[in-house]
Amino acid sequence: MEKKPYIVIAEDDPFYGSILRTKLSKEGFEVLVTKNGEEAMAALRARCPQFLITNLIMPVKDGFTLLKEVREDKDLKNLKALVLSNLGEEEDKKKVLAMGLVEYVVKVNIALADIIQKIKQSAS
Amino acid sequence: MAEKNQVDGAVFIVDLSYKITGASGTVVGLPGVGAGEEIGNYYGDIFKFKNVNDSAPVADLVERAMNLGKSDFDTNVLIVKKDGDTAPVSVSVIPLIDKEGRSSGAAVMIRNVSEQVTSSFAQNDLLPITVHELRSPLGGMRWSLEMLMSGDAGQLPEVAQDMVNQIHQNNQKLIDLVNDLLDVWRLDQKSVTVRPESLDLATAIDLSLGEIKLEAAAKNIDIRTSVKEGSLPKTMVDPRLFGKIIHNLLSNAIKYSPASGTVDIRGGSADGYVTVSIVDHGMGIPKADQNRIFSKFFRARNAILNEVAGTGLGLFIARSYAEALGGEICFESEENKGSTFFIKLPIAK
């Protein structure tokens, strides 16, 4: 059997975490949901996934810092990522996109089916 | 803090050589005026002003008002207090004339606005934070409802499906409302960033159609587009702003159409401009309301009477964004026949 693609999610809101876990598992991904940037970074260092999904505003370590550390890490710097945030400010988006290999989506403005489709395209 | 019932401000009168001839009042942190000590002094020695930004200095304000014989005011002034600290004040200058109608000086009013400034800062910060906090649960609900609708929690009985659809529609209205509030806030703050790129409008229209398909399906509205990739010259637009214009106009077309109606998207180009039109066959806009429909919070009478939900912000935002892109929006409409909105945008050079 083909190995499942592995996705790490950094999301402090359990509501979103559980929706993404359920949907992506059904789509055949192996999913690990972590609660903040620090937990996510530990998981990424332990095993590099095919794809990273992160929120921006999170306790302990936020998504901006997580992405910065990922880009500075020699083993993780090429990891593709998707930012799923409800921050809509252009400045935040610009800051994130400047880090490279990352897409930015405002959660509330996209249908679940469309975001899952996007993740499937990017993570496989 | 000024004592209760006491105006926190001062008024003084200057003659033609800018010397104080009379004064009264108090500004927090400044000595009280009106004891007579300031009479005869150059007003700038008693009231030391600084400008918050690069606007004209207060001296110019007083001088200009006197020279032009016209009242003037500046709400962005700082007054330097005795301890060197500053307080925000507003300054109004009213020129005075004598019996012969000649200029004789000016009355200058200073008002401490510290509290107003603080509260407007608080309001400014409050909105984006509130929008972010509202979006989180709204987005979570949207996705959960979509899971229920797509059968992720098992097949729902028909009655439950209807209820879930209605909750989803109402949730969507709240999402649109908070998004609109954020857009209006950005427009008010003049903080809308425009990042134009050369774009085939068909791509952006397709994206908007994808976003709005559930709204259209709920009323069984057929949206047909004749704008296909390559059918229009490329246009310099910010995709986010253009997407929002199309979204708002399509959302209106759906809302004001009868169930099972049709909406058409057409495109054309002439004289250096691309025009996209959105045509509906709905309730139309009454003649009497037509010149006000782009005003913030305005809603046409028939829309209110027919209980069509809306905030009155969509067209205001659409027009503001079209103008930010160097274009314009206009419309033709007849009550009970329908409306056509035209978005005109400059072709990329």
Side-chain angles (χ1 to χ4, degrees):
Chain A
M1 202 178 101
E2 206 182 319
K3 215 164 165 245
K4 288 178 175 181
Y6 173 48
I7 297 182
V8 170
I9 300 175
E11 173 61 84
D12 61 317
D13 186 335
F15 201 3
Y16 286 104
S18 114
I19 294 171
L20 287 169
R21 184 195 288 115
T22 310
K23 269 305 224 193
L24 290 170
S25 303
K26 269 194 182 175
E27 293 292 339
F29 291 96
E30 183 187 344
V31 184
L32 177 71
V33 181
T34 61
K35 289 197 290 290
N36 58 55
E38 192 162 289
E39 281 187 17
M41 199 60 202
L44 295 175
R45 287 206 169 113
R47 182 182 158 203
C48 182
Q50 270 72 42
F51 198 58
L52 165 70
I53 298 173
T54 180
N55 190 2
L56 285 179
I57 306 296
M58 290 182 290
V60 189
K61 184 182 283 177
D62 66 21
F64 293 108
T65 316
L66 171 65
L67 282 171
K68 189 168 166 280
E69 288 182 8
V70 164
R71 289 293 165 255
E72 286 167 358
D73 187 297
K74 66 175 172 34
D75 298 320
L76 300 171
K77 65 180 181 205
N78 294 322
L79 177 62
K80 282 199 283 180
L82 170 71
V83 167
L84 272 182
S85 167
N86 274 319
L87 287 180
E89 290 307 307
E90 284 296 301
E91 280 313 301
D92 299 318
K93 188 173 174 181
K94 210 169 132 187
K95 214 159 116 186
V96 163
L97 295 184
M99 298 197 211
L101 288 176
V102 62
E103 276 195 89
Y104 190 109
V105 172
V106 177
K107 284 186 266 205
V108 78
N109 290 340
I110 189 163
L112 184 58
D114 293 337
I115 194 65
I116 297 298
Q117 195 57 35
K118 206 179 218 350
I119 295 167
K120 275 166 74 180
Q121 278 166 7
S122 308
S124 328
Chain B
M1 206 48 182
E3 278 176 41
K4 221 177 170 187
N5 298 328
Q6 189 185 334
V7 175
D8 187 9
V11 57
F12 61 88
I13 292 170
V14 293
D15 61 15
L16 289 173
S17 54
Y18 305 106
K19 288 197 173 117
I20 297 175
T21 59
S24 179
T26 318
V27 177
V28 170
L30 283 174
V33 291
E37 284 168 33
E38 61 284 341
I39 305 290
N41 282 302
Y42 169 61
Y43 83 89
D45 293 339
I46 307 289
F47 300 98
K48 293 185 172 53
F49 295 111
K50 264 170 72 176
N51 281 87
V52 173
N53 48 33
D54 295 333
S55 61
V58 172
D60 287 359
L61 190 75
V62 177
E63 202 169 302
R64 198 172 55 226
M66 275 164 66
N67 288 340
L68 297 174
K70 249 173 81 178
S71 306
D72 207 347
F73 68 95
D74 192 336
T75 51
N76 271 319
V77 181
L78 297 173
I79 194 160
V80 184
K81 299 195 273 190
K82 266 203 301 198
D83 57 6
D85 210 357
T86 56
V89 293
S90 69
V91 178
S92 307
V93 186
I94 301 160
L96 302 172
I97 45 170
D98 63 15
K99 274 192 284 189
E100 279 78 40
R102 288 177 310 215
S103 172
S104 69
V108 183
M109 282 179 278
I110 309 165
R111 181 129 200 214
N112 189 336
V113 293
S114 307
E115 283 177 35
Q116 290 170 27
V117 171
T118 320
S119 87
S120 82
F121 279 153
Q123 279 171 18
N124 283 350
D125 288 346
L126 191 63
L127 196 117
I129 295 168
T130 311
V131 166
H132 178 242
E133 291 304 317
L134 285 169
R135 274 173 155 181
S136 292
L138 289 171
M141 285 193 277
R142 172 181 182 164
W143 285 4
S144 306
L145 290 164
E146 284 169 7
M147 282 179 82
L148 287 174
M149 286 157 82
S150 63
D152 281 298
Q155 192 61 36
L156 298 179
E158 209 170 310
V159 187
Q161 277 178 32
D162 285 347
M163 288 165 90
V164 168
N165 283 341
Q166 290 202 18
I167 301 170
H168 184 268
Q169 278 172 41
N170 281 290
N171 191 61
Q172 209 53 41
K173 278 180 201 159
L174 284 174
I175 292 172
D176 287 345
L177 173 64
V178 295
N179 285 340
D180 282 355
L181 287 174
L182 187 62
D183 284 328
V184 170
W185 178 83
R186 284 196 193 115
L187 284 165
D188 283 347
Q189 299 290 308
K190 303 198 178 358
S191 67
V192 176
T193 10
V194 186
R195 291 211 176 78
E197 52 184 83
S198 175
L199 192 77
D200 186 331
L201 295 185
T203 326
I205 291 172
D206 284 345
L207 213 64
S208 293
L209 283 173
E211 282 170 14
I212 212 145
K213 62 184 178 220
L214 286 173
E215 224 174 293
K219 269 184 86 176
N220 192 29
I221 305 274
D222 184 17
I223 306 181
R224 306 174 296 202
T225 176
S226 65
V227 182
K228 305 283 177 210
E229 223 173 306
S231 68
L232 288 175
K234 286 199 169 181
T235 313
M236 281 304 283
V237 292
D238 180 316
R240 185 182 81 83
L241 301 193
F242 179 72
K244 184 77 190 184
I245 297 171
I246 293 289
H247 176 92
N248 287 6
L249 294 181
L250 281 177
S251 170
N252 278 354
I254 294 168
K255 268 194 289 200
Y256 299 117
S257 285
S260 306
T262 53
V263 171
D264 286 289
I265 306 173
R266 295 179 195 140
S269 63
D271 305 326
Y273 283 88
V274 164
T275 302
V276 174
S277 40
I278 292 175
V279 188
D280 72 59
H281 311 282
M283 62 175 70
I285 305 156
K287 270 265 174 305
D289 289 341
Q290 291 195 356
N291 58 353
R292 293 173 65 199
I293 61 156
F294 290 109
S295 312
K296 209 191 282 182
F297 296 113
F298 180 76
R299 305 221 46 227
R301 268 164 295 174
N302 55 346
I304 299 169
L305 286 174
N306 288 289
E307 294 178 18
V308 181
T311 57
L313 294 173
L315 286 177
F316 168 76
I317 294 167
R319 187 175 67 173
S320 304
Y321 281 3
E323 286 169 357
L325 296 173
E328 60 181 39
I329 290 186
C330 54
F331 68 95
E332 287 167 0
S333 184
E334 200 177 327
E335 207 171 349
N336 300 321
K337 292 236 167 110
S339 305
T340 300
F341 280 83
F342 305 92
I343 314 138
K344 196 172 151 188
L345 295 164
I347 291 174
K349 293 199 175 84

